[in-house]
Amino acid sequence: DAKTTQPTSMDCAEGRAANLPCNHSTISGNEYVYWYRQIHSQGPQYIIHGLKNNETNEMASLIITEDRKSSTLILPHATLRDTAVYYCIVRVAGSSARQLTFGSGTQLTVLP
Amino acid sequence: GAVVSQHPSRVICKSGTSVKIECRSLDFQATTMFWYRQFPKQSLMLMATSNEGSKATYEQGVEKDKFLINHASLTLSTLTVTSAHPEDSSFYICSAAGDDNYGYTFGSGTRLT
């Protein structure tokens, strides 16, 4: 799986959009970008994933650049409950026998 | 959506005793489950891959005789920490792959002290 690079930490004001970047310059054509988050002392939670088109669900939006070398997770209206470590993971889909490899992630702190 | 139930959420044990952690997929069948360990302020590290009906595959540096994994059915995998010692204190998390379009589902974790 391709390596990802994320900032160590970010702050965001409550109610504002949180934009979390991720670089994955060595991504290959069949690799998806997945985002998970981990609230303190809980298991990771799936947020969203995409291949090349922008994606949106009830939790977030995922913007992938045209060259697919980077992406941004957008939480449109951050709340205090969104404070967590956010992990950007690149992997090939269609193989449930392969594990997810977690990097260091970005600690997002939503400030009141 | 897919749900993975992990129990117990927290356990305290004496040195030398064994602890069993259960991971169940509640609404889907999981041929493969994964066990992770997370030390404070660190990321998740894969310990082993659990395959239903066969032996688990352990990551380098993880003692298979110390961390016993049993995946006897498509909905249950167990991790037994044998002869636990203070250095085994950690947050243990299981995950299972159900519908691959939605990625992996994780248990809520077990804090072992």
Side-chain angles (χ1 to χ4, degrees):
Chain A
D1 298 331
K3 179 180 169 59
T4 62
T5 304
Q6 299 177 252
T8 302
S9 64
M10 294 181 64
D11 291 342
C12 173
E14 187 178 18
R16 307 297 290 268
N19 298 286
L20 293 92
C22 179
N23 286 321
H24 31 78
S25 58
T26 61
I27 191 170
S28 59
N30 61 346
E31 288 183 312
Y32 285 68
V33 180
Y34 284 81
W35 283 84
Y36 285 78
R37 72 179 182 185
Q38 185 180 24
I39 296 170
H40 184 63
S41 293
Q42 295 184 24
Q45 175 190 23
Y46 165 84
I47 301 174
I48 198 167
H49 78 285
L51 181 63
K52 55 182 178 181
N53 297 322
N54 297 337
E55 302 287 345
T56 296
N57 62 21
E58 65 277 6
M59 290 184 66
S61 294
L62 173 61
I63 308 299
I64 302 174
T65 58
E66 191 169 342
D67 63 8
R68 303 209 322 122
K69 292 185 177 182
S70 65
S71 61
T72 301
L73 178 74
I74 301 173
L75 307 179
H77 305 286
T79 70
L80 299 179
R81 288 192 298 269
D82 291 323
T83 292
V85 178
Y86 287 76
Y87 296 98
C88 169
I89 299 170
V90 170
R91 69 176 288 269
V92 177
S95 176
S96 59
R98 297 181 65 233
Q99 75 279 6
L100 287 177
T101 300
F102 288 82
S104 301
T106 296
Q107 171 66 59
L108 174 68
T109 302
V110 180
L111 304 172
Chain B
V3 177
V4 171
S5 175
Q6 184 174 344
H7 292 281
S9 59
R10 183 182 297 268
V11 58
I12 299 173
C13 71
K14 293 183 177 181
S15 285
T17 62
S18 295
V19 173
K20 179 185 283 189
I21 302 170
E22 289 190 352
C23 181
R24 293 180 184 273
S25 57
L26 297 187
D27 50 3
F28 66 101
Q29 294 183 332
T31 305
T32 304
M33 291 186 177
F34 305 95
W35 287 95
Y36 293 83
R37 179 168 53 182
Q38 185 176 33
F39 292 108
K41 298 189 177 183
Q42 294 186 22
S43 189
L44 285 77
M45 295 297 295
L46 180 70
M47 298 177 64
T49 301
S50 168
N51 298 296
E52 187 267 337
S54 64
K55 291 183 179 180
T57 303
Y58 291 82
E59 295 300 297
Q60 190 173 8
V62 178
E63 300 174 57
K64 63 180 181 180
D65 295 329
K66 180 170 183 61
F67 299 99
L68 301 179
I69 291 173
N70 185 285
H71 193 158
S73 77
L74 287 172
T75 58
L76 174 64
S77 176
T78 60
L79 168 68
T80 301
V81 183
T82 62
S83 187
H85 290 284
E87 58 266 28
D88 299 322
S89 295
S90 189
F91 192 53
Y92 293 86
I93 307 166
C94 69
S95 76
D99 181 343
D100 193 67
N101 288 330
Y102 292 93
Y104 293 78
T105 304
F106 288 80
S108 54
T110 298
R111 176 76 58 192
L112 171 63
T113 303

